Amino acid sequence: GRKPLSRAFRNRFVEIHMGDIPSDEMKTILEKRCSCPPSHAKALVKIMIALRQRRNPHGVFLGKDGLITPRDLLRWAERGGSSKLALAQEGYMLLAERLRNDAEKAIVKEEIESHLKVTIDCDDMYYGKDAEARAMLTKAAVKQKNLGLLLSSVAPTKSLLRLLTLVSRCVQQKEPVLLVGETGCGKTTVVQ
């Protein structure tokens, strides 16, 4: 954790300070723990290094972990990706979509695209005819009687399709999700 413990409490223990995991060791961890191909592991570590150098201007107190943490990197590797584009899209959904500032999202997107040498098309990823959320809505329309929700009353807006895609990816990976937003923005609808 980041909360400092009292000196009286700390004096009862032998303190061992943990440093950052070296890049070559992080690459090995990604390969062994996440079954990540060596080329993908190497690219992910390079992206983490680049994002740590860029830092998050709005997360002054987060330091080098403002845009990405080792835990984020492990989660990204566990999501996998059969191609560089799929890997880039997973990284964007995981890292950029939690940021509130569009400038910060652009930084993450730029670094991912430059290191993986792909172009992330968010419109196609979230709203395209083959988008995951559209397929989910079509499939759910068939089973709508069991859901207790009339899908004819759900408007497939861009924000709903984006949110549905992001939540779906987290659920598929068994990752915890915290939906934060104003009343009426679609959190309950997406969960239903």
Side-chain angles (χ1 to χ4, degrees):
R2 292 190 177 128
K3 189 174 181 180
L5 300 172
S6 73
R7 197 164 147 188
F9 183 75
R10 286 177 32 205
N11 282 338
R12 298 176 185 177
F13 300 92
V14 174
E15 283 190 32
I16 301 174
H17 292 271
M18 306 293 291
D20 287 340
I21 300 170
S23 298
D24 57 330
E25 289 181 20
M26 181 58 84
K27 183 178 169 285
T28 303
I29 291 169
L30 295 177
E31 290 173 17
K32 302 288 184 194
R33 178 179 174 199
C34 306
S35 302
C36 187
S39 61
H40 288 188
K42 184 177 178 183
L44 293 179
V45 171
K46 284 184 177 181
I47 292 167
M48 183 177 81
I49 291 168
L51 287 173
R52 283 180 152 189
Q53 289 173 349
R54 299 283 294 264
R55 298 208 182 182
N56 182 342
H58 294 92
V60 177
F61 299 108
L62 297 175
K64 66 183 179 298
D65 290 332
L67 295 172
I68 189 170
T69 65
R71 182 173 286 148
D72 296 330
L73 197 65
L74 289 168
R75 190 170 281 156
W76 185 5
E78 286 171 354
R79 283 186 173 202
S82 56
S83 66
K84 295 244 180 186
L85 179 59
L87 189 68
Q89 289 173 333
E90 292 294 344
Y92 182 82
M93 285 189 275
L94 186 66
L95 300 174
E97 288 294 358
R98 69 177 178 200
L99 301 171
R100 295 182 181 181
N101 184 317
D102 287 338
E104 294 167 358
K105 288 182 182 185
I107 290 170
V108 171
K109 184 178 178 189
E110 177 187 316
E111 290 297 340
I112 292 172
E113 288 177 337
S114 70
H115 283 85
L116 293 176
K117 297 175 180 36
V118 296
T119 301
I120 301 169
D121 183 357
C122 292
D123 286 340
D124 187 52
M125 182 169 63
Y126 296 131
Y127 324 121
K129 62 178 179 144
D130 296 328
E132 182 179 350
R134 288 200 188 277
M136 287 177 62
L137 285 175
T138 303
K139 185 178 177 182
V142 175
K143 299 178 180 181
Q144 74 179 357
K145 292 178 183 174
N146 298 335
L147 291 173
L149 173 73
L150 288 176
L151 288 174
S152 59
S153 65
V154 175
T157 61
K158 284 188 167 190
S159 62
L160 181 80
L161 292 173
R162 178 183 151 273
L163 191 57
L164 190 57
T165 301
L166 296 171
V167 170
S168 169
R169 293 301 299 139
C170 291
V171 169
Q172 289 169 12
Q173 297 296 318
K174 296 179 176 65
E175 297 169 347
V177 181
L178 178 64
L179 298 177
V180 180
E182 297 294 324
T183 302
C185 70
K187 300 181 298 290
T188 303
T189 302
V190 166
V191 172
Q192 289 175 329

